Amino acid sequence: MIIERSTEWKEGFIERLENREAWDNWTLYTMSYDVVKMNLITDFQGLQSPKYLPTLTPLAHQLEVAETVIERMNGKAILADEVGLGKTIEAGLILKEYLIRGLVKKALILVPASLTNQWIEELNQKFHIPAMQYRKNYDLNHCTIVVMSIDMAKRSPHKEKIYEQDYDLIIIDEAHKLKNHKTKNYEFVQNLKKKFCLLLTATPIQNNVFELFYLISLLKPGHLGNYESFQASFSASKHDVEQEEYLKELVNQVMVRNRRQDTGIEWTNRHVEIIPIDFTKEEKEVYDMISELPTVSPVFSDAFSMITLQREMCSSKEATCLTLTNMREKCIKPEDSSYIDEIIHKAMALEINSKAEKAYEIVSRANGKVIIFTEYRASQTYLQWYLHSKGITSVLFNGKLNKNKREWMKQLFKEKAQVLIATESGSEGINLQFCYHVINYDLPWNPMKLEQRIGRVHRLGQENDVHIYNLAIQNTIEDHILDLLYVKIGVFEKVVGELDDILSAFKKTI
């Protein structure tokens, strides 16, 4: 290949010089000058990103969160606003700001699989950030802003490919699912190379205070000491801590949390009540027979299985009999299987489900659409049949539905059905502001799951007061669940801050 030097520049230069012509187009020069001047960032204080977002008007608290994380927390923070206050918007603002300032060139966003489309849509449409969803054949060296399911990311060969990358910013949605250092999710995130890190969760404490310790240790190792010193310094146990004011001060150095009442936005009210229910004599008899299982045979001494059966009996005979049938197949002695057969026979003969009747009563007098949350798919199917027999239309929502079916069920609920019957998967990643009645048909062990459920409807855009009905069978395992829920709410409020009502309008003193 022959390379020749061009002399055109010299000829043009001499011509302009001798004829005193303009060196270039003055209008183009001034326009270029203005563009460069506009893009200069002369002060690190304050946000530059809002002026580059013409289709987005962030709320005051969202802008304040972004400023706080960037200016005071050095890009390492837990975004813990209450459900529905826009943590995704806050994370998007922080990412956009770092991109504009040139501090982030490569970012990884890890989310539950059901939320990948939502994240990509928001980043592209609201923030004009060219985020892309990871595919198996993608070369991560050429992907700058990637949204990925955390379940996919932690598996080989994706995990190894991700570990090879140097990310400037990692964002983790639903960060409470990392739980602690023993989970694969936590281990995976801990080993990522990252300069900045955002953990998004409205519920940084789910079941015990050590979950918050591990989240903070991901962001700032040693900020709360190691496990042993943290436990000793705050006399920490699962559901209690001492010196909570000092601990809260340390936590607030890495966590930003806004409550609805702090935002200056006018919110509709939340009406919450616990509705006690009595079993019929026949239902109680079956429940007592289940409770007696461990005394009948050592085969049934597994406490977890017994508690599960008791909870299922408080939900539906269908859920109960499904588990009992599975247990029966594992029985070796004839007397063990015959006792289970007797329970199944008595359960299937029940003609009344007291809790389902109460749920129907609430639905029939509700002036609007209703979400019913249950823990069991068998109960979900039963409730749909039961409500149908009463002339009430409903749709199901559970983890078996793919993304398209989830959207279809949501649309059917909005336009056709009166009731959405959801398992726990329905309390995440779906916004239902057009509904304002929630029945917690089965109570979870975790109070934050209640907050997540309620947050599906009590969020920005809700125009009606929200009504929450917590059903509980008296003199059963559900009494114990209620007591434990209040204990866990207590430790959350000690360390993180006040919660909106999720069980009843009156706080129970333990």
Side-chain angles (χ1 to χ4, degrees):
M1 180 183 290
I2 299 172
I3 300 175
E4 295 182 357
R5 292 189 178 184
S6 171
T7 60
E8 287 183 10
W9 70 270
K10 187 176 180 181
E11 294 163 1
F13 176 77
I14 292 171
E15 186 180 340
R16 283 183 172 82
L17 191 65
E18 290 178 348
N19 299 324
R20 300 192 175 215
E21 293 180 5
W23 294 107
D24 212 332
N25 186 304
W26 179 253
T27 304
L28 289 177
Y29 169 77
T30 55
M31 287 173 67
S32 299
Y33 177 84
D34 289 340
V35 167
V36 172
K37 188 177 179 182
M38 261 177 75
N39 287 331
L40 285 176
I41 300 173
T42 57
D43 188 3
F44 196 78
Q45 302 297 312
L47 298 177
Q48 302 295 318
S49 52
K51 64 186 178 187
Y52 295 96
L53 303 172
T55 59
L56 177 70
T57 306
L59 299 171
H61 74 273
Q62 294 166 343
L63 293 168
E64 190 178 331
V65 166
E67 278 194 53
T68 299
V69 170
I70 291 169
E71 295 177 8
R72 281 184 32 220
M73 298 180 174
N74 194 31
K76 295 179 180 179
I78 299 172
L79 307 187
D81 284 1
E82 288 186 327
V83 179
L85 291 185
K87 290 181 289 296
T88 309
I89 299 294
E90 293 165 358
L93 281 169
I94 294 165
L95 173 57
K96 186 74 173 181
E97 191 70 24
Y98 278 141
L99 287 169
I100 290 170
R101 293 176 181 274
L103 296 172
V104 166
K105 298 189 186 305
K106 202 171 180 69
L108 175 65
I109 298 143
L110 298 170
V111 304
S114 60
L115 301 183
T116 51
N117 286 349
Q118 184 177 314
W119 266 91
I120 290 165
E121 186 179 314
E122 293 220 353
L123 289 176
N124 279 277
Q125 294 182 6
K126 293 181 179 178
F127 294 95
H128 309 293
I129 295 173
M132 59 192 297
Q133 184 172 352
Y134 175 73
R135 303 291 181 192
K136 293 179 181 178
N137 58 341
Y138 284 4
D139 183 351
L140 284 173
N141 291 308
H142 304 297
C143 302
T144 52
I145 313 293
V146 179
V147 179
M148 194 183 307
S149 154
I150 192 166
D151 288 330
M152 174 189 276
K154 71 183 178 187
R155 295 196 306 264
S156 296
H158 317 296
K159 176 174 70 173
E160 289 74 19
K161 291 178 182 176
I162 294 167
Y163 282 164
E164 291 172 3
Q165 305 298 313
D166 288 309
Y167 285 105
D168 299 307
L169 173 62
I170 302 286
I171 298 174
I172 314 233
D173 198 9
E174 304 294 348
H176 52 269
K177 292 188 173 182
L178 300 178
K179 290 188 181 294
N180 59 58
H181 66 300
K182 294 180 181 178
T183 67
K184 287 186 178 180
N185 285 1
Y186 190 97
E187 183 186 356
F188 168 68
V189 172
Q190 193 173 34
N191 291 327
L192 291 173
K193 294 177 220 171
K194 50 192 178 291
K195 182 164 63 176
F196 306 120
C197 185
L198 302 177
L199 304 178
L200 279 60
T201 172
T203 54
I205 294 177
Q206 289 266 305
N207 281 299
N208 67 70
V209 74
F210 295 108
E211 293 167 343
L212 180 60
F213 165 79
Y214 283 114
L215 283 183
I216 291 174
S217 298
L218 261 184
L219 293 173
K220 279 191 164 185
H223 184 70
L224 297 178
N226 61 26
Y227 182 90
E228 289 75 19
S229 63
F230 171 75
Q231 197 172 27
S233 299
F234 299 101
S235 302
S237 62
K238 279 187 175 184
H239 302 141
D240 196 21
V241 287
E242 293 179 4
Q243 301 186 63
E244 58 264 24
E245 289 305 317
Y246 175 52
L247 177 56
K248 194 181 287 188
E249 186 181 322
L250 289 174
V251 168
N252 287 339
Q253 291 173 15
V254 291
M255 184 179 79
V256 187
R257 181 171 185 261
N258 286 299
R259 296 190 62 205
R260 293 177 188 86
Q261 64 190 43
D262 302 329
T263 60
I265 301 166
E266 191 173 331
W267 290 85
T268 59
N269 294 320
R270 182 185 286 195
H271 304 281
V272 190
E273 57 181 314
I274 295 172
I275 299 178
I277 300 164
D278 290 316
F279 264 150
T280 63
K281 179 185 173 184
E282 292 76 16
E283 287 174 311
K284 188 67 167 65
E285 185 180 346
V286 175
Y287 181 87
D288 289 341
M289 287 180 73
I290 289 169
S291 302
E292 290 296 319
L293 272 170
T295 63
V296 172
S297 170
V299 176
F300 309 126
S301 59
D302 178 23
F304 178 77
S305 296
M306 287 308 98
I307 289 171
T308 299
L309 270 171
Q310 288 174 325
R311 293 185 69 205
E312 287 173 337
M313 185 57 208
C314 290
S315 183
S316 71
K317 66 183 182 185
E318 286 74 15
T320 310
C321 290
L322 193 61
T323 301
L324 285 170
T325 302
N326 292 334
M327 287 178 67
R328 188 188 183 284
E329 291 174 0
K330 297 175 184 176
C331 291
I332 299 173
K333 295 180 181 180
E335 56 268 29
D336 292 340
S337 58
S338 63
Y339 187 75
I340 288 182
D341 283 340
E342 187 182 351
I343 300 175
I344 292 174
H345 176 74
K346 284 185 177 292
M348 293 311 294
L350 294 172
E351 296 179 357
I352 293 174
N353 182 321
S354 299
K355 190 184 274 186
E357 286 190 347
K358 180 58 71 174
Y360 164 68
E361 183 186 316
I362 295 168
V363 171
S364 60
R365 70 168 187 258
N367 182 25
K369 295 183 182 291
V370 181
I371 306 175
I372 299 178
F373 282 105
T374 176
E375 296 272 293
Y376 310 104
R377 284 185 186 155
S379 297
Q380 191 183 35
T381 305
Y382 163 74
L383 283 168
Q384 185 173 46
W385 169 85
Y386 178 74
L387 291 174
H388 177 73
S389 71
K390 301 288 188 179
I392 292 174
T393 54
S394 64
V395 292
L396 303 185
F397 199 93
N398 58 50
K400 281 192 171 181
L401 303 179
N402 61 31
K403 292 172 191 172
N404 291 334
K405 284 187 178 176
R406 285 167 68 94
E407 284 303 313
W408 176 235
M409 289 299 118
K410 177 180 172 180
Q411 204 61 28
L412 281 177
F413 177 44
K414 186 174 184 179
E415 296 178 1
K416 304 284 185 183
Q418 185 184 353
V419 177
L420 178 78
I421 309 170
T423 56
E424 206 57 58
S425 62
S427 63
E428 240 174 42
I430 183 171
N431 302 331
L432 302 165
Q433 293 95 321
F434 57 85
C435 173
Y436 49 93
H437 294 277
V438 176
I439 299 175
N440 288 308
Y441 184 84
D442 297 318
L443 293 172
W445 290 105
N446 182 349
M448 298 306 111
K449 285 186 177 180
L450 286 175
E451 176 60 28
Q452 290 278 359
R453 292 174 180 182
I454 297 168
R456 297 308 101 211
V457 300
H458 199 213
R459 57 194 303 114
L460 287 170
Q462 178 57 261
E463 297 176 354
N464 298 284
D465 284 1
V466 174
H467 300 267
I468 317 299
Y469 313 91
N470 297 308
L471 309 188
I473 308 286
Q474 295 192 97
N475 303 312
T476 66
I477 187 69
E478 293 190 335
D479 283 340
H480 176 61
I481 292 173
L482 277 172
D483 288 341
L484 193 55
L485 285 171
Y486 278 113
V487 169
K488 291 178 178 179
I489 289 170
V491 73
F492 184 98
E493 294 190 332
K494 265 187 175 184
V495 179
V496 178
E498 287 288 312
L499 269 172
D500 268 0
D501 299 328
I502 58 175
L503 280 176
S504 68
F506 304 98
K507 305 286 182 186
K508 183 175 179 179
T509 305
I510 300 297

